[in-house]
Amino acid sequence: MYDYKTTWASLITHILLYELHSSLNNYQQVTVIYYVKITLNECDRELALFGRENNCMGILATDTDFIIYDTVKIYSTKNMNLSEMSFYVYDKNKVQEKLMLKSSELPLFASLVGNDYTNSTDLNNNSYKKWFNQNDTVKRFCGIADYIRRLNLKIHNGRLFKNDITKISRDFFREEKMAMILQESLNFYHLRSEGNGLDSIMSGISDYKWRSIIKMLYKEFSCYSNYLDILIRHCYQDCISLQDFTLSDIPVAAKVLKPLRERWYGILLYEKPGLKKVTEWLIDGYESLAKPKEVSPQFPKVHHPGLISLIRGHNKEANWNLLGDTFNLNPGYLKNFPLDLLIPALSFRYLKDKVIIHKWEVNALILSAILVRYFNARQLRSIKLDQVKSRPIRLYNLVTCSFEVVLQISQVLAHLIPDELVSFYAIINFTYW
């Protein structure tokens, strides 16, 4: 198991697993099977729970606070040597012995020394600074541990009483308003079942039918993390790099693809009752992340059989009709189109009237979509370029961004495009990043 939080870290995960597999093969012949687990919450807690419930050998991670969880052995990746198969192992018992704390007091210790919730850089009060102005980390940690011991807390089922949390916030942080943040931090280390986690996220959803749809999607299609973010949090976020906002020859990807995303939201949220808005965190300029943008879904003009039916592929005719409606094309024409070229064709068709592309660039993009599948990574890497220009990179950036949205739509309309072709273009998009 490996802790990853971003796309780049996900790439590192696959490289790490490949290298680990290769290293293991130097010792004995083994078969390594792995898959990526998508979570709706902070991944650390989900990883610790998964490790415990599945009796895993261990968790590879850089975060030291993994040892606080009642889970399996934690292997540090900071000093990992795959050639010698050597790791540093975080030892919970030795940490407790050094700090003279009980296991139940470790979540509070992590919260007071600073974690993802109580980060010292975000706190300016003098009481907090007295601990963190000490240059000796061990001395500082031991001082905070001593503070916790003197509290003589009563911890019930791994949880502190509300009055104690308020008192600590007032005494340690000199701010009672920190009680809410401290409570969130302590909850972060409390493992719970998968189902309860989903229920807590959906606590604000009252409509029974919509709750049932989300539960079924989470159970059967939990790999679709972007879908669940839109369905539950009404939020979509993505990072777009390799753009130059000072140039106007190629439009910004987030703006160009907005109408296509609106149609995607319309398919996903068609059955949701009440007001339907999606909050977008996308980069479309220098100040774009100062605040999000609210987007209204564009609902399909043809029959929508229901989200579960679409993803399961119960009615292929309805799926083809929705695909045609999304791209303003005849569904009969799409059904007869070569499936291996459907994703790039839909992307190019959508971009045709929105971007000024030279004829030779169009030909190059079409050829790349057709031929790239016949090259492996080593062959692609060996291609020599005399001069790297900005425009081809920025243009292909826009194309791969359009691939991503088309892929998202095609995954909702399951079984129209074979999984191996969908996966192939997903890999093109991922490899480009």
Side-chain angles (χ1 to χ4, degrees):
M1 298 179 63
Y2 188 78
D3 167 30
Y4 75 93
K5 297 177 182 177
T6 65
T7 301
W8 282 112
S10 178
L11 174 60
I12 293 168
T13 301
H14 287 77
I15 294 171
L16 173 66
L17 287 166
Y18 175 79
E19 291 181 352
L20 181 59
H21 187 184
S22 301
S23 298
L24 287 171
N25 278 331
N26 292 331
Y27 294 88
Q28 59 180 335
Q29 189 65 35
V30 296
T31 300
V32 176
I33 300 174
Y34 66 91
Y35 66 96
V36 175
K37 177 176 168 57
I38 302 297
T39 70
L40 293 177
N41 280 320
E42 169 61 49
C43 65
D44 293 6
R45 181 166 55 183
E46 302 291 344
L47 224 74
L49 182 64
F50 184 89
R52 187 177 72 182
E53 291 183 343
N54 293 275
N55 194 28
C56 295
M57 182 189 79
I59 296 173
L60 297 174
T62 55
D63 291 353
T64 54
D65 55 359
F66 264 106
I67 64 170
I68 295 172
Y69 295 110
D70 180 20
T71 186
V72 294
K73 190 172 289 186
I74 309 300
Y75 297 92
S76 170
T77 57
K78 287 183 178 178
N79 301 94
M80 181 171 58
N81 188 327
L82 289 177
S83 62
E84 297 179 1
M85 291 303 293
S86 63
F87 304 83
Y88 280 2
V89 179
Y90 296 143
D91 192 317
K92 183 176 183 177
N93 293 329
K94 288 185 178 179
V95 171
Q96 287 179 231
E97 182 182 336
K98 178 68 178 178
L99 298 173
M100 292 185 287
L101 292 175
K102 302 172 186 175
S103 176
S104 59
E105 293 171 327
L106 289 180
L108 177 60
F109 173 78
S111 301
L112 296 186
V113 300
N115 58 10
D116 291 342
Y117 291 85
T118 58
N119 194 317
S120 60
T121 58
D122 297 329
L123 301 165
N124 298 312
N125 65 77
N126 293 327
S127 176
Y128 199 71
K129 284 181 178 179
K130 77 177 182 180
W131 301 102
F132 286 86
N133 284 339
Q134 300 180 38
N135 294 324
D136 190 331
T137 302
V138 174
K139 185 177 179 181
R140 182 171 74 241
F141 280 19
C142 289
I144 293 176
D146 181 62
Y147 166 78
I148 294 173
R149 288 196 302 274
R150 286 187 279 108
L151 290 173
N152 195 24
L153 296 166
K154 293 180 180 178
I155 301 176
H156 180 66
N157 290 334
R159 296 185 183 277
L160 271 68
F161 291 105
K162 186 176 180 180
N163 290 342
D164 289 331
I165 293 175
T166 303
K167 181 180 183 301
I168 293 168
S169 300
R170 185 173 58 247
D171 294 347
F172 191 86
F173 298 105
R174 291 287 190 265
E175 292 185 27
E176 281 197 31
K177 66 180 182 180
M178 279 295 298
M180 184 180 297
I181 296 174
L182 183 56
Q183 181 67 72
E184 289 180 3
S185 177
L186 295 170
N187 290 343
F188 174 67
Y189 298 105
H190 185 71
L191 296 186
R192 78 293 185 267
S193 69
E194 195 97 20
N196 289 337
L198 180 62
D199 288 339
S200 66
I201 291 172
M202 296 201 307
S203 58
I205 302 174
S206 58
D207 185 80
Y208 175 78
K209 181 182 177 182
W210 189 240
R211 286 176 65 91
S212 300
I213 290 172
I214 292 175
K215 280 187 175 182
M216 193 172 296
L217 283 169
Y218 179 72
K219 181 179 178 182
E220 298 189 27
F221 309 103
S222 60
C223 58
Y224 301 128
S225 59
N226 280 335
Y227 299 179
L228 294 170
D229 262 346
I230 295 168
L231 296 172
I232 298 173
R233 298 190 177 97
H234 313 134
C235 174
Y236 178 69
Q237 53 188 337
D238 195 11
C239 58
I240 305 298
S241 61
L242 302 178
Q243 296 190 86
D244 189 340
F245 299 121
T246 65
L247 301 176
S248 58
D249 58 323
I250 296 175
V252 178
K255 292 180 179 179
V256 171
L257 298 172
K258 180 184 174 184
L260 200 54
R261 292 195 307 274
E262 289 173 344
R263 297 170 205 171
W264 176 41
Y265 302 151
I267 295 173
L268 289 175
L269 298 174
Y270 184 80
E271 298 166 279
K272 181 186 180 297
L275 185 65
K276 299 162 180 153
K277 293 274 188 180
V278 175
T279 301
E280 290 190 332
W281 288 96
L282 298 173
I283 299 175
D284 58 14
Y286 293 110
E287 302 296 328
S288 54
L289 295 183
K291 62 178 181 179
K293 296 180 175 62
E294 282 201 342
V295 175
S296 297
Q298 296 298 312
F299 299 105
K301 303 180 183 68
V302 297
H303 173 63
H304 189 303
L307 196 54
I308 299 297
S309 175
L310 285 178
I311 293 179
R312 286 179 173 170
H314 288 163
N315 186 343
K316 287 189 177 181
E317 194 65 30
N319 286 25
W320 280 114
N321 289 339
L322 273 170
L323 186 65
D325 178 68
T326 302
F327 291 93
N328 297 317
L329 292 169
N330 187 320
Y333 171 77
L334 294 176
K335 280 192 283 188
N336 294 320
F337 201 88
L339 292 180
D340 59 330
L341 297 177
L342 188 54
I343 289 176
L346 290 173
S347 297
F348 297 151
R349 170 67 173 77
Y350 177 80
L351 294 173
K352 180 175 70 73
D353 300 324
K354 298 172 178 60
V355 187
I356 299 175
I357 306 177
H358 304 303
K359 185 176 180 180
W360 71 268
E361 291 176 325
V362 174
N363 292 336
L365 288 169
I366 292 173
L367 283 172
S368 70
I370 294 173
L371 297 177
V372 72
R373 63 186 304 181
Y374 300 107
F375 288 79
N376 59 36
R378 180 176 297 178
Q379 290 170 322
L380 290 173
R381 189 166 56 244
S382 66
I383 297 175
K384 303 297 182 183
L385 295 176
D386 295 331
Q387 184 180 4
V388 178
K389 295 184 179 180
S390 162
R391 179 178 166 87
I393 294 174
R394 292 183 290 111
L395 180 58
Y396 200 69
N397 170 80
L398 176 60
V399 170
T400 56
C401 290
S402 69
F403 279 3
E404 182 181 2
V405 182
V406 175
L407 281 167
Q408 300 279 15
I409 295 170
S410 67
Q411 285 175 331
V412 182
L413 308 175
H415 304 289
L416 297 185
I417 304 173
D419 289 343
E420 62 269 20
L421 295 178
V422 171
S423 301
F424 168 72
Y425 284 103
I427 289 170
I428 290 179
N429 187 40
F430 181 73
T431 303
Y432 175 71
W433 291 113

